[in-house]
Amino acid sequence: MILKKNIREYANDFFNLMFPRVCINCRTILVYQEEHLCTACRLSIPKTGFHLKKDNPLFQKFVSEPKVKEVATYMHFNKFGIAQKIIHELKYNNRPEIGIMMGRWYAQELKEAKWNFDMIISVPLHPSKLKKRGYNQSDQIALGISEVLGIPVEKDIASRIRKTTTQTKKSKVQRWQNLDSVYQINKPEQIEGKNLLIVDDVLTTGATIGQLVSEISKFPVNNIFIATIAAGQ
């Protein structure tokens, strides 16, 4: 048993020597126990602290939804900043494990907020995009949160039934129009009377999550909480 362990460790050391792991942000070589980000870059993440500030700018985007009780994000999204690099790696470079890592990190902070929810729902992708990417990045974040908090993720509650054009460069009104009637709630009986946490990767205008919240709110759910990994202006 010890021999096998030593062989495995030597193999890992050799692999890392030949193909060193580098930090997503600064590209320096990662050392033992660093995961995707070096310690210096992890400490430089522009955290928002919004989970401890109820009346924050993100919550204001959902004031018309009475069932939404809390809205927060882990870090500020700035062009060319660390948050953009993390999200890019997660979504476009086939690295779903980054979503799980970020979910775990954020869950540790959400413990401080003491939000009372008993089910996690991730914002679904359209089947064509899911097939192309191979995974839903929001699922991965939700799984990381679930792992730390011990609250289940329910993936089949909602689905995306209409394919839309990219939200990039659209105005706030155009984003909402683009997402009209895009989601469907498949199992309303499972969310009845529940407190839900809705998870996504990035929140900008709130249009994407807002449309899902609107569909969910048609059913007798209790409270809705929203958490994302990054938020833009």
Side-chain angles (χ1 to χ4, degrees):
M1 189 70 177
I2 295 175
L3 178 61
K4 287 183 179 179
K5 181 179 179 181
N6 289 337
I7 292 173
R8 185 165 56 248
E9 289 177 353
Y10 290 143
N12 287 336
D13 289 343
F14 177 77
F15 183 84
N16 290 332
L17 180 65
M18 299 300 296
F19 307 98
R21 300 175 304 118
V22 297
C23 174
I24 292 169
N25 187 52
C26 69
R27 311 307 293 175
T28 60
I29 295 176
L30 297 176
V31 299
Y32 180 64
Q33 291 189 331
E34 288 182 338
E35 187 179 8
H36 305 299
L37 285 172
C38 68
T39 300
C41 287
R42 181 174 177 180
L43 291 174
S44 72
I45 288 175
K47 296 181 183 180
T48 67
F50 285 173
H51 60 292
L52 299 177
K53 304 171 186 175
K54 180 178 177 65
D55 192 23
N56 64 60
L58 298 187
F59 182 78
Q60 295 303 313
K61 297 177 185 290
F62 297 90
V63 290
S64 62
E65 295 285 356
K67 292 184 179 180
V68 174
K69 300 303 178 184
E70 303 279 358
V71 185
T73 192
Y74 184 57
M75 56 187 173
H76 294 289
F77 186 100
N78 295 308
K79 195 170 184 180
F80 306 121
I82 186 170
Q84 184 184 44
K85 292 176 183 178
I86 290 170
I87 297 299
H88 182 84
E89 288 292 314
L90 169 61
K91 294 177 69 171
Y92 304 115
N93 281 349
N94 192 32
R95 300 184 71 176
E97 70 279 3
I98 291 175
I100 293 177
M101 176 189 75
M102 298 305 297
R104 289 171 181 158
W105 289 359
Y106 199 19
Q108 295 294 343
E109 297 201 352
L110 291 177
K111 284 181 179 180
E112 301 176 81
K114 298 180 181 179
W115 292 359
N116 180 28
F117 55 89
D118 39 40
M119 181 184 296
I120 303 173
I121 298 174
S122 53
V123 174
L125 290 179
H126 187 270
S128 62
K129 183 170 286 188
L130 181 61
K131 182 178 180 180
K132 181 178 179 180
R133 185 169 296 161
Y135 58 91
N136 179 351
Q137 70 277 2
S138 297
D139 281 348
Q140 303 306 307
I141 297 165
L143 288 170
I145 293 174
S146 174
E147 183 179 311
V148 172
L149 300 183
I151 296 172
V153 178
E154 299 294 342
K155 294 184 180 180
D156 299 325
I157 298 295
S159 58
R160 189 161 185 157
I161 58 174
R162 187 167 68 83
K163 191 175 182 180
T164 56
T165 56
T166 178
Q167 295 284 77
T168 306
K169 297 183 180 180
K170 284 184 169 61
S171 68
K172 184 174 181 178
V173 172
Q174 288 173 327
R175 286 176 182 236
W176 279 89
Q177 291 172 338
N178 190 44
L179 290 165
D180 186 42
S181 302
V182 74
Y183 296 112
Q184 173 180 285
I185 306 304
N186 303 314
K187 300 176 180 179
E189 70 281 357
Q190 291 191 14
I191 60 175
E192 184 174 343
K194 299 290 187 179
N195 294 314
L196 310 177
L197 174 67
I198 298 178
V199 172
D200 204 2
D201 55 349
V202 180
L203 192 157
T204 306
T205 64
T208 300
I209 296 180
Q211 288 291 346
L212 181 56
V213 167
S214 295
E215 287 300 315
I216 288 174
S217 295
K218 293 176 182 178
F219 303 96
V221 298
N222 193 11
N223 296 319
I224 296 174
F225 301 83
I226 297 171
T228 70
I229 291 302
Q233 301 298 320

